Structure formats: C-alpha cells, structure tokens
Amino acid sequence: MKIVTYNINGLRPRVSQFGSLLKLLDSLDADIICLQETKLSRQDLTADLVVADGYECFFSCTRTSDKGRISYSGVATFCRVKSAFTSNEVALPIAAEEGFTGILDSSKGSRSREDKRTEKAGGLEEFSKEELLKIDSEGRCVITDHGHFVLFNIYGPRAVSDDMDRIQFKDTFFKMLQKRWNFLLRQGRRIFVVGDLNIAPAAIDSCNPGPDFDKNQFRRWFRNLLVENGGDFFDVFRAKHPERREAFTHWPQNTGAEEFNYGSRIDHILSGGVCFHEDGGQKCHNFVTCHVKECDIMSQFKRWRPGNSPRWKAGRSIKLEGSDHVPVYMSLVEIPDIVQHNTPSLSARYAPEVRGFQQTIVSMMMKRQVEKQIETYEDSSSFSEENITVGSCIENLKRSSYDCNTSGSPSEGSCFASGGSSSVTAHSKMTAFQTDRANSTPGKGIRKKARHSQSSQQLSLKSFFQKSSTSVVGHDRTGSAINDLAEMAKSDNTPIEPTMAEQESCCPEQSQLNDCISTQDEGDLNACCSSEADKSNVAFLEWQRIRQLMQNSIPLCKGHREQCVSRIVKKEGPNFGRRFYVCARAEGPASNPDSNCGYFNAEGRSWQLYQVFDDKAGILPALRSRVLWLLMVIDNRCKDKFM
C-alpha cells in the first residue's frame, strides 16, 4: 500500500494543469492520496473536481465567512478502490469524518439516520461547542478509518510572528488535535498523521535557521510528539533518512527559491501505534520498522526543473506551473485485508452538490405556483405591449399624413401619387384594425400580430450607424413620413416599397439638402478624426518617453548591478501599499554568488505618485509629463536617502 500527501495549492488549477482529476491522481500512483489546500467551498464542488473513476473522495471545505478565509484551505482524501460500493480493501475506509472535533453535521461511517447527531469527539469534552466549531470551520481536517489504522489528513494553520490571533488559533488547533490522538491511542488504535503542518521541526529541515529557531513553541510541540523525546509518534521520513540534508518539500512562490533548493520541510507523515506482529509490544518492534518499506520526497513534481531559464535571464516572466509544495509518500508492506464493508456516506459521490438535491412535495408545489405566476405576468405584459405598439402605429400614420400635407406639396397630389392605392389600403387597414381592437378582447392572433408589428419596427445595426435627419425641420419630416408609412405597410404585410425616385418626386429639394449635409458632415468627421489621431500619437510618444525615463530610474542591486524588481507591501500596517525594490535573482544561500544578494530599497514618496499618475489615463498628456518630470527630479535628489 502507498500513501501520498500533497499540498496542491488549489485543486482547480492542478486539475487544469494535468487535464483532468483522474490524470492528476494517476500521476501520483498511490492507494490513498491526501490533498491539502484545495481552496474549494461547498458551493464550488462539481463532479469534475471530486469524482474520478476508481477513486472515492472524502473532503472538508471551509465554512467560515471571516475575511481572507473563504475558499482558503480545504482538504480531500482520495482512496483508490476496485469496487465503488462494497469491498474488503484497506484503502476503502469503513468510516469517515469531516473535521476532528465531532460536532460538524456530517455522517460518520454508515450509521443510520436516527443515530446521526452532533457530539463532541473523545478527549475534547472540556471544550465548549463554540470553541470546537471555530477550530473545525476552516476545513483543515478529514479523518478516514481504515480498520487497521486511522488516517488524519491535516492542513495546519499558518501564523506569522506578530499575528497573535492566528498564533492563538494555531496553538489551540494542535492542542485539541493532540487530545484526540491520545484518546485513540489509549483505545489501542494505530494513527497516521499526514499533511502540511506548517512546521519545520529541526534546523536540518530549514534552509536558513536563525539563532532562535529551536525556541519556537510549535517546533517544541512537534518534537515532543516524537518517540525519541518520549512521545508516541515517529517522523517517518526522518526515521528512514536521519541525516539527509536539503530535503525540502516547500519553497516560497515569489522568490524563485526552488532554483537553488532554498526551502523547508513542512509536509510530514507521522506514525503512532504498534505493529501487526504478536510480539509487537517489544522495543525492537514498531510500525515503522516492521511495515514501512520506504518514505521519500517526490521531487519530480517541483515547478522549477534543470534547464529552465534562470530568474535574472527572462526567467521571471515565465510562470512556473504547479504547486509550491511537492508530494511525500510512504510505502507499507504486510497490511492484511479487512472485513467486507460499504463505502461511507461521507463520500463525495453522495454529496448533494454533486449528486443533486432531492425535491420535496412542498418544493414541487411552490415551483408550479411560480410557473403560473410567470405565465400570468407574461400575458399581461404582452397585452400592454400591444396597446403601446398599435397606438404608436396610428400616431405615426396621422403625423405622416399631416406632415406630408404641410410640406409645401399639394394636399392630395404627389406625396401619394406613386404609392396610390397601397397607401390608402394601409391606412384603411390600420383604421379597421383600431376599430376591431377597441371592440374585442385580446386574443392569441392579435397578440401575435402586435408582436410581429413591434419586431418589424426594431432598428437594424445598419440603421444605428446612419446619420439621423431629425435635425432638419420641415423638409426632413416628409422623408420620415414616407418611411413611417413603409414600416406600417410592412407590419400589415402590405407590399409597399417607396423608391428613391418617389421620395425625390415628393420633395425634390430634400435630396439636394441631404447630399449637402452628408458631404459637410463627412468633411467635419474626417477632420475631427485626424485631429484626435494626432493628439493620440503625441500622447503615446510622450508617455513612452516618460516610461523609458522611469525604467532608467529603477535602482540597481549592489551585488550584481542589475535592475531590481518592485514589490508592494500587502500586509496591514503603516507600510501597507508601499512599494520597495529587491534584487531580481532567485533566493538562495548567501554562499552562492548567483543567488539573491539581499539588496533592499524602500522607494521615496514620489514613486508612489508615479504609480498614481500611471493609472490616470484621463490626465492631459502635457500636464502629466510635466508633473512626472518634476517627480523624477525630486526622486533623484532624494534617492541617496533610500539607497
């Protein structure tokens, strides 16, 4: 049997990287795969993220709504099995639990619905329900019971030295966890603890241990767990490789530390309990010695590999794909099968977010009521639209007739001479339609006609870009009247198509006026576009010059005389949002001249103003250039202050 632990730094990007969840799991080639930092909430769960053929998934997602903790952590355990529902394989757990406090509303094992209840786990009775819920609300643990052993998949909290709230949370988290472990060990259970604990236990496990490294409270807690210090657990990797150095599993993401293997070992596999042998209680027998064949780091999953471009030779612009952690595996031997058992109901295949929610009679009735209300609303809305459409059609017809009669042409003559009977027919049909509309109730056929009339009057994309002629008073109204009559005829399916000759015969001066206006507008438009293009080119060239000057003003690191890279302080405090400059090379040991030289330069106030003006594209180019030039002069005079 092979067990793997892997902090994947987001399940969704890893699935995208490998092409599918199944390919990701198969690449690890293990019977039990424990993933941390999935960064999924229950609302994000979909079948492509938690369901794969040949695997059963048990997960825990964050439930807190605290700032910065939503979809932040999360763990998932995938078990490779041959049968999806019942099996005697050790990899398929006989029970599963979300969290470790026992109070989350999750089913444990295959208990019946009547037996489900939220109760505190053994050893945690002294804590209140609120304290336990706070610890388990971040989705940092999932437990699977495999008969011969209980497996804890853990994502330990991270706490920086000056964040007292997170330090307290981390301390409480591990103290509660240890009480749960002690309770199970007293019952004679074997325990495996795997995951990213965010603790480098000894100086050999860190690239840069400081003078107070061993005094850290969490490192002391970790070492007290180990058998050599009177505890109950083995650090399986150190038990197999006690003297191996630079065996790291994590590297900072933003410093390129993987290039020089400048990291720490914070992903662990711990084993507690006796072996399977009858005389396992003797000192010469323990689980690691008797049943652990190998435990090692899967370095082939590192993001940076030999042959990649160095960080200072365009390597910074290449995004390294993968997690900032690598997996750790443990191979077990002589693990017997267990009795036939079913898949626990905590499996992801039974999750409502994946399987779907079961409808109740009440929900079905409510759905029908909503559908009836929507149908009634649509009928009433269509009736209102008919009134508006028909009214506007009649008003347009009346206005067109009036405008044509007052445009200077004979009242009964040329405007309708070419249209003739078609125009009269359209008018009579509309009048008859108005009479029928007033004397009848809304019917299905009328609604269809009204909708057709409304859709026929919708503007086309071509008409949107054509110039409007409403600015010309008197002469332009004649053309609009003819267009309105044509639209009316189309809506009533009357074949009337007024031609350009007909419009010219109606109002000959209209065509000449439109030609003059069109020619004048085109000239003005071309002149305006040319002026705007010239301004844009000038502004672009000026801005390019300013950017080049700013680029030349970036400080050079003292170790390599190379341009630095800028960083922004993201931590809350007095320096939040402030920009600073550091050496562009990858972080590494100080003895390596090719690694980061440690150069640091806090920028002056003027550089912050640069960024402000860089984002304000609406400022006039001339004003922007003068202000930026002044800021650069001030910054050059003050540069010695920050070097």
Coordinates of all heavy atoms in Angstrom, one line a residue, residues 207-208 251-252 254-263 311 583-589 594-597:
C207 N 16.2 25.9 5.4 CA 17.3 26.4 4.6 C 18.1 27.5 5.4 O 19.3 27.7 5.1 CB 16.9 27.0 3.3 SG 15.7 28.3 3.4
N208 N 17.4 28.2 6.3 CA 18.0 29.3 7.0 C 17.5 29.4 8.4 O 16.8 30.3 8.8 CB 17.7 30.6 6.2 CG 18.4 31.8 6.8 OD1 19.5 31.7 7.4 ND2 17.8 33.0 6.6
W251 N 8.8 25.7 -1.0 CA 9.6 26.8 -1.4 C 8.7 28.0 -1.6 O 7.6 27.9 -2.1 CB 10.4 26.5 -2.7 CG 11.3 25.3 -2.6 CD1 12.6 25.3 -2.3 CD2 10.9 24.0 -2.9 NE1 13.1 24.0 -2.3 CE2 12.1 23.2 -2.7 CE3 9.7 23.4 -3.2 CZ2 12.0 21.8 -2.8 CZ3 9.7 22.0 -3.4 CH2 10.8 21.2 -3.2
P252 N 9.2 29.2 -1.2 CA 8.3 30.4 -1.4 C 8.0 30.6 -2.8 O 8.9 30.4 -3.7 CB 9.2 31.5 -0.8 CG 10.1 30.9 0.2 CD 10.4 29.5 -0.4
N254 N 7.2 33.5 -4.5 CA 7.5 34.8 -5.2 C 9.0 35.1 -5.2 O 9.4 36.1 -5.6 CB 6.8 35.9 -4.5 CG 7.1 36.1 -3.1 OD1 7.7 35.2 -2.5 ND2 6.7 37.2 -2.5
T255 N 9.9 34.2 -4.7 CA 11.3 34.4 -4.7 C 12.1 33.5 -5.6 O 13.3 33.7 -5.7 CB 11.8 34.3 -3.2 OG1 11.7 33.0 -2.8 CG2 11.1 35.3 -2.3
G256 N 11.5 32.6 -6.3 CA 12.2 31.7 -7.1 C 13.2 30.7 -6.4 O 14.2 30.3 -6.9
A257 N 12.8 30.5 -5.1 CA 13.8 29.7 -4.2 C 14.0 28.3 -4.7 O 15.0 27.6 -4.3 CB 13.3 29.7 -2.8
E258 N 13.1 27.7 -5.5 CA 13.2 26.4 -5.9 C 14.5 26.2 -6.8 O 15.1 25.1 -6.9 CB 12.0 25.9 -6.8 CG 10.8 25.8 -6.0 CD 9.6 25.5 -6.9 OE1 9.5 24.4 -7.4 OE2 8.7 26.3 -7.0
E259 N 14.9 27.3 -7.4 CA 16.1 27.2 -8.3 C 17.3 26.8 -7.6 O 18.2 26.0 -8.1 CB 16.3 28.6 -9.0 CG 17.3 28.6 -10.1 CD 17.4 29.9 -10.8 OE1 16.3 30.6 -10.8 OE2 18.4 30.2 -11.4
F260 N 17.5 27.2 -6.3 CA 18.6 26.9 -5.5 C 18.3 25.9 -4.3 O 19.0 25.8 -3.4 CB 19.3 28.1 -5.0 CG 19.9 29.0 -6.1 CD1 19.2 30.2 -6.4 CD2 21.0 28.6 -6.8 CE1 19.7 31.0 -7.4 CE2 21.4 29.5 -7.8 CZ 20.8 30.6 -8.1
N261 N 17.1 25.3 -4.4 CA 16.6 24.4 -3.4 C 16.7 25.1 -2.0 O 17.2 24.6 -1.0 CB 17.4 23.1 -3.4 CG 16.7 22.1 -2.5 OD1 15.5 22.1 -2.4 ND2 17.5 21.1 -2.0
Y262 N 16.1 26.3 -1.9 CA 16.2 27.1 -0.7 C 14.8 27.1 -0.1 O 14.0 28.0 -0.3 CB 16.6 28.5 -1.1 CG 17.2 29.3 0.1 CD1 18.4 29.0 0.7 CD2 16.5 30.4 0.6 CE1 19.0 29.7 1.7 CE2 17.0 31.2 1.6 CZ 18.3 30.8 2.2 OH 18.8 31.5 3.2
G263 N 14.5 26.0 0.7 CA 13.1 25.9 1.2 C 13.1 25.3 2.6 O 14.0 25.6 3.4
R311 N 16.3 33.0 -13.2 CA 15.4 34.1 -12.9 C 15.8 35.4 -13.4 O 15.0 36.2 -13.8 CB 15.3 34.1 -11.4 CG 14.2 35.1 -10.9 CD 14.1 35.0 -9.4 NE 13.1 36.0 -8.8 CZ 11.9 35.8 -8.8 NH1 11.3 34.7 -9.3 NH2 11.0 36.7 -8.3
C583 N 16.5 42.7 -5.1 CA 17.3 42.0 -6.2 C 16.4 41.1 -6.9 O 15.6 40.4 -6.4 CB 18.5 41.3 -5.5 SG 19.5 40.3 -6.7
A584 N 16.6 41.0 -8.3 CA 15.8 40.2 -9.1 C 16.1 38.8 -9.1 O 15.3 37.9 -9.6 CB 15.8 40.8 -10.6
R585 N 17.2 38.4 -8.6 CA 17.6 37.0 -8.7 C 16.9 36.1 -7.7 O 16.3 36.6 -6.7 CB 19.2 36.9 -8.5 CG 20.0 37.6 -9.6 CD 21.4 37.0 -9.7 NE 22.1 37.7 -10.8 CZ 23.3 37.2 -11.2 NH1 23.8 36.1 -10.7 NH2 23.9 37.9 -12.2
A586 N 17.0 34.8 -7.9 CA 16.3 33.9 -7.1 C 16.9 33.8 -5.7 O 18.1 33.9 -5.6 CB 16.3 32.5 -7.7
E587 N 16.1 33.5 -4.7 CA 16.6 33.4 -3.3 C 17.4 32.1 -3.2 O 17.0 31.1 -3.7 CB 15.4 33.5 -2.4 CG 15.8 33.6 -0.9 CD 14.6 33.6 0.0 OE1 13.5 33.4 -0.5 OE2 14.8 33.9 1.2
G588 N 18.5 32.2 -2.5 CA 19.4 31.1 -2.3 C 20.3 31.3 -1.2 O 20.3 32.4 -0.5
P589 N 21.2 30.4 -0.9 CA 22.2 30.5 0.2 C 23.1 31.7 -0.1 O 23.5 32.0 -1.2 CB 22.9 29.2 0.2 CG 22.7 28.6 -1.2 CD 21.4 29.1 -1.6
D594 N 25.5 33.5 -7.3 CA 24.5 33.6 -8.3 C 23.1 33.8 -7.7 O 22.2 34.1 -8.5 CB 24.5 32.4 -9.2 CG 25.7 32.2 -10.1 OD1 26.3 33.3 -10.4 OD2 26.1 31.1 -10.5
S595 N 23.0 33.7 -6.4 CA 21.7 33.8 -5.8 C 21.4 35.3 -5.4 O 22.3 36.2 -5.7 CB 21.6 32.9 -4.6 OG 22.5 33.4 -3.6
N596 N 20.3 35.5 -4.9 CA 19.9 36.9 -4.5 C 20.9 37.5 -3.5 O 21.3 36.9 -2.5 CB 18.5 36.8 -3.8 CG 17.8 38.1 -3.6 OD1 18.3 39.0 -2.9 ND2 16.7 38.4 -4.3
C597 N 21.3 38.7 -3.8 CA 22.3 39.4 -3.0 C 21.7 40.0 -1.7 O 22.4 40.6 -0.9 CB 23.0 40.4 -3.8 SG 22.0 41.8 -4.4

